Amino acid sequence: RSKSQRALALSPPRHSGTMAASVVGMTAHPLCAAARATPRQQRRRSGVASMPMPAMRRGVPKTASRNNGVEGGEEGGGEGEKMHVPEDAFKDGDGKSVTPERKAATALTNLFTMAAVRVILDQFTGTRHRSPVYNKMVDFLSVNPLRNGNEWLAKLMRDPDTDLRVTAMRIIETRRIYATSEFNWEIMERVAVEGIKEDTLEMSRAYLTSLASLKSVGEEEEGG
């Protein structure tokens, strides 16, 4: 290459300073600055005060919060407020204080025992003939009504009849399977919560209707 060509190749472009100034001018433009700004900075520049984001509640089911077994939130006594149930509100068979959850679990245990008994009795009937144990179970139930599941099963296991003792073990195993794999706990929770909401709405309407009727009667008496 000639000296003039080498000098031209090594020399910077004539418009490099102009381009750099243009880039700096573009980045300093208000629109570009606004694009680089964070959302909070954009709100401040636009004159909108920043609003704090609501705190997220974790571990709360869609249907109800687990505040002592009572639905929380606006319908359950206030946000983050735990409802207090007196310790002596519920008693077990021995007179000891139990929580509402324990009381409900005992009721479900009795329910599962009854369901298991009905399942076994239905198996005893069969499609062609009825098992002799069926009549024995019906007689035992007539003398010993099923109120407390565990106590009733303990009495059945002490019966002198071997068939009844074997049936007691079948009922115990059937109850376990029913509670762990057959009973739909999600449906129970949903039906219970939705039922309480519907009952609350219905009773509130009835209360407002009664107030309106009393008000109309009072206005008629005053006018008469």
Side-chain angles (χ1 to χ4, degrees):
R1 295 181 179 180
S2 62
K3 293 182 179 180
S4 60
Q5 290 177 345
R6 287 197 302 270
L8 181 62
L10 295 175
S11 61
R14 296 180 179 180
H15 301 288
S16 60
T18 305
M19 293 177 63
S22 300
V23 172
V24 172
M26 290 175 62
T27 55
H29 195 274
L31 293 178
C32 296
R36 294 195 311 272
T38 62
R40 178 175 297 179
Q41 292 173 344
Q42 293 177 5
R43 289 195 298 268
R44 288 178 178 175
R45 292 174 180 176
S46 61
V48 180
S50 59
M51 298 178 63
M53 296 297 292
M56 299 297 292
R57 299 178 62 191
R58 298 180 179 178
V60 181
K62 295 181 180 180
T63 55
S65 62
R66 305 298 187 184
N67 288 338
N68 200 17
V70 181
E71 183 177 359
E74 296 179 357
E75 300 180 2
E79 186 75 18
E81 181 179 350
K82 187 173 182 179
M83 186 175 294
H84 173 70
V85 179
E87 296 180 356
D88 58 348
F90 300 98
K91 304 285 186 179
D92 60 4
D94 299 329
K96 297 180 180 179
S97 299
V98 294
T99 61
E101 292 82 3
R102 178 65 63 180
K103 191 71 174 181
T106 302
L108 285 174
T109 300
N110 297 333
L111 175 65
F112 295 155
T113 306
M114 296 177 185
V117 170
R118 292 302 302 270
V119 170
I120 298 300
L121 288 177
D122 185 70
Q123 293 175 357
F124 284 155
T125 57
T127 56
R128 296 183 179 179
H129 63 279
R130 179 174 294 176
S131 171
V133 185
Y134 177 86
N135 294 329
K136 294 181 181 180
M137 283 295 301
V138 171
D139 294 339
F140 184 86
L141 280 168
S142 62
V143 178
N144 305 280
L146 202 167
R147 296 187 178 89
N148 185 297
N150 291 334
E151 294 179 359
W152 185 87
L153 285 170
K155 186 178 293 185
L156 185 63
M157 286 189 293
R158 292 194 302 266
D159 195 271
D161 194 322
T162 304
D163 291 338
L164 293 182
R165 295 198 300 271
V166 173
T167 302
M169 298 306 300
R170 288 183 61 181
I171 294 173
I172 292 173
E173 181 63 16
T174 303
R175 182 180 69 171
R176 183 191 66 81
I177 296 174
Y178 181 77
T180 55
S181 60
E182 296 294 329
F183 187 78
N184 197 317
W185 296 89
E186 294 180 358
I187 291 179
M188 180 201 67
E189 181 182 8
R190 185 175 71 251
V191 171
V193 174
E194 291 179 355
I196 290 175
K197 290 182 178 179
E198 292 176 359
D199 294 341
T200 302
L201 181 60
E202 183 178 353
M203 287 185 285
S204 299
R205 288 175 177 173
Y207 176 73
L208 294 176
T209 303
S210 64
L211 288 181
S213 61
L214 291 175
K215 183 178 179 180
S216 61
V217 171
E219 291 176 353
E220 291 177 359
E221 291 179 354
E222 291 178 358

